Amino acid sequence: MILAERYQIIRRLAQGGFGKTYLAGDRHLPGHPHCVIKQFFPVDATAETVKIAQRLFSLEAETLYQLGTHDQIPTLLAHFEQAGEFYLVQDYIAGQDLTTELKQISATTDRAQYTYSLLMGLLSTLAFVHQNNVIHRDIKPDNILRRSSDEKLVLIDFGAVKTFQRGAAENTVAIGSPGYMAPEQQAGRPCFASDLYAVGVIGLQALTGKSLQQQPADPQTGELQIATEIAHSELAEFIAKLIQSAPGDRYPNATLAAAALKELSTLSTNDSLPKTHPPSPTANDAHIAYTVFPPGITAPHPERTASRQSSSTEYAETPTAVRNRQALLNKVHRFWIQGVLQHSLHGQVLLTLGLEERNQALALPWNISWESESQPIQALAAGTSLFSRFQHLGEGRSLLILGEPGAGKTTTLLTLTRDLLDQWQPGQRIPAVFNLSSWTGESLDQWLISELNSKYQIPKSIGHSWVQEQQLLPLLDGLDEVRLDRRSRCAAVINQFYQDYGPELVVCCRMNDYEALEEQLTFQSAVYVRSLTDQQIWQYLDQAETGLTGLRSLLEQSLEQSAAKPKAHTGQALFELARSPLILNIMALTYQGISAREIPTLSQSESYTHQLFSAYVERMFQRRGFAGVYTKQQTLRWLRSLAIMLTQTSQTVFLIERMQVNWLTSKPQRAAYVALVVSAFLMIATAVGWHVVRRQALPLALIVGGAICAKIFGLYRIVPAEKLCWSWREAARSLLLGITLGPLIGWLLKVTFVYAFSASYCLSTPGCFQSISSIGLSFGTILGLTYGVIRGFSGSQIAIVTKPNQGIRQSAKNAIFFSVIATVAPWFIAHSFDGSTSPLFWAAAGLTFALATGGGEACVKHGALRLVLFCQGRIPWNYARFLNDAADRIFLQRVGGGYIFVHRLLLEHFANMPAPHKRLH
């Protein structure tokens, strides 16, 4: 069976009450790597059972997507429906479940130390789960794996999870495993402490060496008891607290339990597993499990042993600051590690890239002069990780990564990012990846604040404090992608930032482009990413599962022809291209499963790289095998347009909501855009003006209103709104301002318009001035109060989940929310004093407020821009769906809510493609 036209089912692994689990191969990747697929398939297919199973299955997918950034929690790769059946897709690793491990503990093992390490590893993971308001509900030895690659515990099977809702008292379905379910969980009222009960039972098994059925229990109540021989030890007392029958007698959550466990004086000196822990599982003990954070790692470096999770007692910060830091860490991991590194083309060539010391490339301080001719290039020891090299530099470390195009510089940078995330602990700088292609000339600190806001959805106030307080570790990719006339200036700005702030920094650049800079970086160290060796190339091609025998034969024939005709250099040039991991992967994806005779002969009159990329693009349309929404011609045209605009605007990561008016390349296009935006503004001005000044002043109102909108909002800058968050401080300040200035502004507007257009009537009517003054003051007070309430929703908070075009969606939500407040509340108040007030007036006023404060104007301008580009045939109507389709064809990669080409060379290939003759709509 083939699922989603991608996953080849190999065999069934297991079956439970609500589903089946299969081992499958991913046919879209070289070597068809294995993965695990969980199918929704209830054994008892009654209506009620199916309803429960569907809910739990969807909840498992949502939970894994939310929690999958943690080192020891499964990562969700896909969630899809086919033929009415639902499937979850996860990676596969070798490991051993805790049930088997507990049976293998030898008699010489220090059980106290082993149990302590077991509980500490499990509680640190469970703390992250509880901090995200999730109750696991099915913690048992079968659902805990010892990952063979690094011997860490992995918590799996989130099929019984429940979201914790504070204050909720309703019962739920009793789900769990007998013996590990707390009493309140059996009664349908689970809480965080319910998970701790299961952890305590597991700890009791580990400490005593007895199975669950062998544990002593109270004959009357059935409650578990601590054996007499261990009852007075610190660890036994801790476990006894975990298995109390009343949840109030246990620790409230895993964070506090982990903190208490770490305080045990006799055991807390050693958090790692003792040397006497059970042996690593052999191949015969292999257990199908899940690949977890960081994805794609099969043999972590020994230096990466510290967990990035810690209890709340270790680092004193406010809860908001902790959440903000964790949010950025999660985003960096999800965007760059899961979204890019895990699916990188380089990642398909599982070879270790060599590194060389290249400090000659740096402008070292203290006037030290390096003679490049006499200074030999020093290759770092084989297997040396960039992480260990970076750690060796110490506090204030700075590193420059150099290499040739396609050599793996970005992959090396992201591998370093992954290792930094893995060992991150509270109090350390937050590693965050930025692409320098969007730098436009400002100071680096201001640029970082702007990038945090646009790429990671970090409010500028938070980003400013992080930069000023040196809480970031910027990893800057693509110095060579900065516009040529700005590149040297960018290097100078980086040096100035490094001098002013003394931060930790990493910069990545192509070797030739770096050597052409007028100013070199003043960093501590520089490394050069070496090309693949002959041995590495042949070793990769010889792997049986890759299906690259045809490519190997082609390269061998090319080398033979080159030896026979050395002047042609054709074969050697083709083999030299294969030294680039990127090009080798392009060759692998293009020619996988094809014999040498079927591979087209490359023309010497055209660039080999161009021919390879053209063949790659063609193969991606052929090998995917699914009926896409878009034709090949449409896909190529729109990808070409995207590549050209990213090149012209010096961008690498494309976010739909960050499209700007500079995408319009002709005067007619800009004129059409301006007409659409101004028309929308005039419609709002008409609605308001009609009810404020009536017909006699409507033309003037339209002119004034349209001019004010254009001046305030601007026509050529689109800034999506941020996530709403209530701030009492901002609300109080805005209310004070609104109550102070609102009545005055309302009075001035009312008096000015009345005397400007009805002066004769008002002068001849007694009490007119008093009446219009009262109305103006009331109107201004209402607007001031509304302004204060609306501005209260401007607190800074980081958006946790990002989706394509989320910024515009958030702007639309804000606009609707603010328009309702600014319509209903003032109308209700005004109607109490003046029943003749038209609801249409307040509807128009509310819409105006939505434009002014809620992001409505961003929606208007973004919609106008998209409409013009669509009518020109440069983008599809549903842009997000098209970009996802292109990502499925391995042309693009998802980076959070944005997209990047799988490599800069592929972007350049699309940008240089000839324009199609036929226009698409």
Side-chain angles (χ1 to χ4, degrees):
M1 183 188 300
I2 298 178
L3 299 176
E5 298 181 332
R6 174 170 183 170
Y7 303 103
Q8 176 75 55
I9 298 298
I10 299 175
R11 67 175 185 272
R12 183 192 294 182
L13 298 175
Q15 178 171 340
F18 290 148
K20 300 177 181 178
T21 304
Y22 298 92
L23 176 66
D26 190 342
R27 300 169 67 244
H28 284 175
L29 296 177
H32 299 175
H34 290 169
C35 58
V36 172
I37 297 182
K38 187 174 182 180
Q39 177 191 16
F40 162 62
F41 191 86
V43 176
D44 182 12
T46 63
E48 184 64 24
T49 303
V50 171
K51 182 178 179 181
I52 295 173
Q54 286 179 328
R55 177 177 60 81
L56 292 175
F57 199 80
S58 298
L59 183 59
E60 182 177 9
E62 295 173 2
T63 303
L64 288 177
Y65 183 77
Q66 175 187 359
L67 303 179
T69 58
H70 192 275
D71 182 23
Q72 291 147 278
I73 294 177
T75 299
L76 179 68
L77 299 182
H79 179 212
F80 63 90
E81 178 183 359
Q82 179 174 316
E85 301 288 348
F86 297 90
Y87 300 87
L88 298 178
V89 183
Q90 297 165 332
D91 274 344
Y92 136 92
I93 59 172
Q96 180 176 259
D97 61 58
L98 197 60
T99 299
T100 304
E101 180 176 300
L102 291 175
K103 295 177 181 178
Q104 295 177 348
I105 298 178
S106 66
T108 59
T109 299
D110 183 344
R111 284 194 173 273
Q113 186 63 62
Y114 169 79
T115 304
Y116 173 84
S117 300
L118 175 68
L119 293 176
M120 183 58 72
L122 185 55
L123 286 173
S124 64
T125 304
L126 191 58
F128 179 79
V129 176
H130 289 176
Q131 287 165 8
N132 283 272
N133 288 327
V134 173
I135 308 171
H136 189 281
R137 290 205 296 182
D138 198 17
I139 294 178
K140 58 183 179 180
D142 286 344
N143 288 339
I144 302 169
L145 301 175
R146 177 77 68 185
R147 191 166 50 199
S148 59
S149 61
D150 58 5
E151 299 184 344
K152 288 184 177 181
L153 295 176
V154 179
L155 182 59
I156 67 168
D157 197 348
F158 283 68
V161 295
K162 177 176 175 58
T163 302
F164 176 74
Q165 298 179 349
R166 193 172 301 279
E170 71 276 12
N171 288 6
T172 185
V173 179
I175 295 178
S177 297
Y180 298 94
M181 294 175 63
E184 72 278 1
Q185 185 175 338
Q186 298 181 41
R189 295 188 296 274
C191 58
F192 292 142
S194 303
D195 287 342
L196 297 183
Y197 180 90
V199 172
V201 175
I202 294 173
L204 191 60
Q205 291 179 251
L207 187 60
T208 62
K210 299 178 181 179
S211 66
L212 181 60
Q213 293 72 22
Q214 296 173 328
Q215 301 297 330
D218 189 312
Q220 294 182 350
T221 64
E223 296 177 4
L224 292 176
Q225 294 180 333
I226 301 297
T228 306
E229 61 270 20
I230 63 170
H232 300 291
S233 69
E234 289 183 322
L235 190 57
E237 292 175 358
F238 174 80
I239 293 175
K241 187 174 178 65
L242 294 183
I243 61 174
Q244 292 295 310
S245 58
D249 294 334
R250 306 178 212 132
Y251 296 100
N253 53 56
T255 300
L256 296 178
L261 178 61
K262 198 161 189 176
E263 294 298 321
L264 298 186
S265 59
T266 60
L267 297 170
S268 60
T269 56
N270 183 10
D271 290 351
S272 61
L273 282 174
K275 295 181 179 180
T276 53
H277 73 274
S280 299
T282 63
N284 295 329
D285 299 323
H287 180 83
I288 301 303
Y290 306 90
T291 295
V292 297
F293 173 78
I297 295 180
T298 56
H301 297 295
E303 307 94 12
R304 296 188 291 106
T305 56
S307 170
R308 73 174 196 269
Q309 302 296 327
S310 65
S311 66
S312 59
T313 60
E314 294 179 306
Y315 188 70
E317 277 193 308
T318 64
T320 301
V322 173
R323 285 195 300 269
N324 289 341
R325 286 172 176 265
Q326 190 62 51
L328 179 57
L329 289 167
N330 292 345
K331 285 173 180 286
V332 173
H333 175 258
R334 188 176 297 279
F335 295 176
W336 293 103
I337 308 306
Q338 286 184 314
V340 179
L341 180 62
Q342 182 181 3
H343 300 99
S344 169
L345 289 181
H346 290 91
Q348 305 309 318
V349 175
L350 302 179
L351 301 172
T352 302
L353 300 178
L355 301 174
E356 294 177 355
E357 193 85 51
R358 288 293 182 95
N359 288 337
Q360 304 94 319
L362 300 171
L364 297 174
W366 306 301
N367 296 321
I368 295 179
S369 177
W370 292 82
E371 297 293 339
S372 58
E373 291 81 5
S374 59
Q375 184 70 21
I377 295 176
Q378 298 180 358
L380 300 181
T384 301
S385 68
L386 190 62
F387 175 76
S388 63
R389 177 61 185 166
F390 190 60
Q391 291 288 77
H392 181 71
L393 296 176
E395 187 68 24
R397 52 201 170 174
S398 55
L399 180 68
L400 170 64
I401 302 173
L402 299 170
E404 304 304 325
K409 302 180 299 298
T410 299
T411 302
T412 302
L413 179 73
L414 294 182
T415 301
L416 173 62
T417 305
R418 178 197 64 192
D419 297 343
L420 289 169
L421 287 171
D422 193 21
Q423 65 88 51
W424 185 88
Q425 293 184 5
Q428 295 179 340
R429 291 181 173 93
I430 310 172
V433 179
F434 303 89
N435 198 288
L436 285 165
S437 61
S438 61
W439 183 79
T440 57
E442 65 270 46
S443 63
L444 196 65
D445 55 342
Q446 293 301 318
W447 177 79
L448 287 173
I449 295 170
S450 177
E451 288 294 288
L452 284 169
N453 178 253
S454 63
K455 300 304 190 300
Y456 293 106
Q457 298 77 47
I458 306 296
K460 291 186 175 180
S461 59
I462 297 177
H464 181 269
S465 66
W466 282 352
V467 172
Q468 295 296 320
E469 297 171 8
Q470 303 178 30
Q471 296 186 36
L472 290 177
L473 197 172
L475 299 115
L476 310 179
D477 190 22
L479 178 58
D480 51 279
E481 297 174 16
V482 177
R483 209 171 73 182
L484 182 59
D485 59 338
R486 298 173 178 167
R487 204 168 293 164
S488 295
R489 170 62 181 161
C490 184
V493 167
I494 293 174
N495 281 337
Q496 187 63 47
F497 178 76
Y498 185 53
Q499 178 180 344
D500 293 343
Y501 288 87
E504 297 182 348
L505 269 176
V506 180
V507 174
C508 198
C509 186
R510 291 180 180 177
M511 187 67 181
N512 292 339
D513 293 296
Y514 179 79
E515 290 176 339
L517 295 177
E518 297 177 1
E519 180 173 342
Q520 296 179 324
L521 298 179
T522 57
F523 283 8
Q524 286 179 272
S525 181
V527 296
Y528 177 82
V529 181
R530 305 173 69 179
S531 300
L532 298 177
T533 64
D534 294 4
Q535 181 182 1
Q536 288 177 309
I537 295 174
W538 297 126
Q539 177 185 352
Y540 175 69
L541 296 176
D542 285 340
Q543 298 180 52
E545 66 272 14
T546 59
L548 299 175
T549 54
L551 177 58
R552 180 186 175 92
S553 298
L554 175 66
L555 292 177
E556 288 175 343
Q557 294 172 10
S558 300
L559 286 176
E560 292 174 359
Q561 295 173 2
S562 176
K565 299 179 181 180
K567 293 184 178 181
H569 299 297
T570 305
Q572 187 62 29
L574 184 61
F575 189 80
E576 289 300 319
L577 286 177
R579 296 190 185 280
S580 162
L582 171 70
I583 299 300
L584 183 57
N585 274 296
I586 291 294
M587 291 179 176
L589 290 171
T590 304
Y591 302 130
Q592 184 181 32
I594 299 179
S595 65
R597 290 176 297 179
E598 297 175 302
I599 299 177
T601 303
L602 299 180
S603 172
Q604 299 182 37
S605 61
E606 191 177 359
S607 166
Y608 290 154
T609 303
H610 174 74
Q611 294 179 74
L612 285 173
F613 275 110
S614 297
Y616 169 77
V617 171
E618 187 67 29
R619 182 68 189 275
M620 290 302 102
F621 283 105
Q622 296 175 356
R623 70 185 291 272
R624 302 305 282 182
F626 63 87
V629 180
Y630 307 97
T631 66
K632 175 183 175 182
Q633 186 182 17
Q634 288 175 317
T635 301
L636 294 180
R637 178 182 179 87
W638 289 327
L639 285 177
R640 176 182 178 272
S641 176
L642 175 61
I644 290 174
M645 291 313 305
L646 291 179
T647 301
Q648 292 178 353
T649 56
S650 297
Q651 296 182 62
T652 299
V653 180
F654 171 62
L655 295 101
I656 300 176
E657 62 265 40
R658 298 293 168 174
M659 294 170 61
Q660 297 296 328
V661 186
N662 57 4
W663 276 52
L664 303 175
T665 56
S666 65
K667 291 183 178 179
Q669 292 177 9
R670 289 191 290 270
Y673 164 79
V674 171
L676 288 172
V677 175
V678 172
S679 297
F681 287 163
L682 289 181
M683 290 175 62
I684 303 300
T686 301
V688 177
W690 182 270
H691 295 282
V692 173
V693 298
R694 302 297 178 182
R695 297 181 182 181
Q696 63 269 30
L698 186 57
L700 177 61
L702 293 179
I703 296 174
V704 174
I708 291 175
C709 287
K711 181 66 176 177
I712 293 176
F713 304 133
L715 295 175
Y716 299 104
R717 181 66 178 169
I718 304 175
V719 183
E722 295 179 353
K723 181 180 178 180
L724 292 179
C725 177
W726 177 258
S727 170
W728 286 105
R729 179 179 180 182
E730 184 65 29
R733 184 169 55 185
S734 299
L735 280 172
L736 179 61
L737 181 63
I739 294 175
T740 303
L741 298 180
L744 178 60
I745 294 175
W747 179 83
L748 287 174
L749 288 175
K750 187 64 178 178
V751 171
T752 300
F753 273 101
V754 168
Y755 277 95
F757 300 102
S758 304
S760 58
Y761 169 79
C762 197
L763 292 174
S764 61
T765 302
C768 177
F769 179 78
Q770 181 179 357
S771 176
I772 63 175
S773 297
S774 176
I775 294 174
L777 290 172
S778 300
F779 174 74
T781 301
I782 293 172
L783 290 184
L785 291 172
T786 305
Y787 170 78
V789 173
I790 289 178
R791 290 298 297 169
F793 288 95
S794 61
S796 297
Q797 183 176 354
I798 300 174
I800 299 301
V801 180
T802 57
K803 301 177 181 178
N805 211 24
Q806 181 183 2
I808 296 301
R809 290 193 180 95
Q810 186 64 52
S811 298
K813 292 178 182 178
N814 291 4
I816 294 173
F817 178 76
F818 287 142
S819 63
V820 170
I821 292 180
T823 299
V824 177
W827 175 83
F828 179 80
I829 297 173
H831 187 71
S832 302
F833 296 96
D834 183 7
S836 63
T837 304
S838 172
L840 293 178
F841 164 73
W842 290 110
L847 194 56
T848 304
F849 263 86
L851 284 174
T853 62
E857 52 88 19
C859 297
V860 170
K861 292 188 287 186
H862 180 82
L865 175 61
R866 291 273 292 273
L867 181 60
V868 173
L869 292 173
F870 169 75
C871 292
Q872 290 292 320
R874 294 174 57 191
I875 66 172
W877 181 253
N878 191 331
Y879 212 173
R881 184 172 63 177
F882 165 72
L883 294 172
N884 287 329
D885 184 78
D888 289 338
R889 297 184 186 274
I890 321 183
F891 296 138
L892 303 176
Q893 289 177 289
R894 284 280 302 271
V895 182
Y899 301 83
I900 64 172
F901 280 87
V902 293
H903 196 273
R904 182 73 181 182
L905 291 177
L906 184 62
L907 181 149
E908 294 170 355
H909 174 78
F910 275 107
N912 294 326
M913 287 177 57
H917 298 292
K918 185 178 180 180
R919 184 186 228 174
L920 298 178
H921 294 281

